[in-house]
Amino acid sequence: MTLHLRRVLVLLLLVLAPIPVAARPAWACSCAVDFDPFEQAQVAFVGVADQVDPDWFGNEVQVEFTVESVLKGAAGQTVTLVTMKDSASCGYDFVEGGRYRVYANEGQTWSCDGNELLSTGHGGGGRTRTIFWGGTVFVLIVVAGGVTWLIRRS
């Protein structure tokens, strides 16, 4: 293999390697239209998302809320609900510190349940953003190491 061809391959690796890390999920979730979320919910409340904990090995996220007011059903001072990690699986993207009107059934809530962000909080998804950029940097370092190894081998 010529030196020129190797350099072209290395350049392609550098350009294409971060793409899987930076790709966003496809929208596969579709919701029913013209329904009353309040009527469908077992529990409805207004509360602040205090803790958003993704299951790193699964596809679920546990969200702990401090309940400000109960609109329907029985809810204590805190409620913990499960949703999916991404919107493609109908998960709702709760942000720590955000104030929401939440509709839930059997300890779960989905993007199709009619949840509403009422005000943003302090969180802004910092942990998820840190993991994303950390993963991207890691991939770039590995690719750069591979490129260096290939060039020195030439």
Side-chain angles (χ1 to χ4, degrees):
M1 191 180 300
T2 68
L3 183 60
H4 180 68
L5 183 57
R6 277 193 185 177
R7 287 186 180 164
V8 170
L9 288 174
V10 167
L11 183 60
L12 278 173
L13 272 174
L14 283 173
V15 171
L16 297 177
I19 291 175
V21 176
R24 295 209 171 248
W27 290 88
C29 180
S30 61
C31 302
V33 293
D34 297 331
F35 77 98
D36 181 5
F38 185 80
E39 189 177 298
Q40 299 292 324
Q42 291 175 339
V43 176
F45 62 90
V46 172
V48 175
D50 290 325
Q51 218 170 359
V52 180
D53 289 322
D55 173 10
W56 296 110
F57 301 107
N59 196 29
E60 294 183 343
V61 176
Q62 282 194 345
V63 185
E64 184 178 306
F65 295 92
T66 296
V67 176
E68 293 178 350
S69 61
V70 178
L71 307 173
K72 181 179 180 180
Q77 291 180 337
T78 62
V79 171
T80 301
L81 297 175
V82 173
T83 191
M84 300 307 280
K85 272 187 185 177
D86 57 55
S87 57
S89 299
C90 294
Y92 191 89
D93 188 21
F94 291 102
V95 175
E96 287 182 4
R99 185 170 175 262
Y100 296 89
R101 183 176 298 119
V102 180
Y103 303 96
N105 289 298
E106 298 177 9
Q108 300 177 339
T109 189
W110 312 103
S111 59
C112 297
D113 287 339
N115 300 315
E116 298 174 62
L117 174 64
L118 302 176
S119 62
T120 58
H122 65 281
R127 184 176 6 185
T128 302
R129 196 173 12 249
T130 300
I131 291 169
F132 168 79
W133 286 113
T136 301
V137 167
F138 176 75
V139 168
L140 289 174
I141 288 171
V142 169
V143 169
V147 167
T148 303
W149 181 77
L150 280 173
I151 290 172
R152 289 189 178 185
R153 217 173 140 217
S154 301

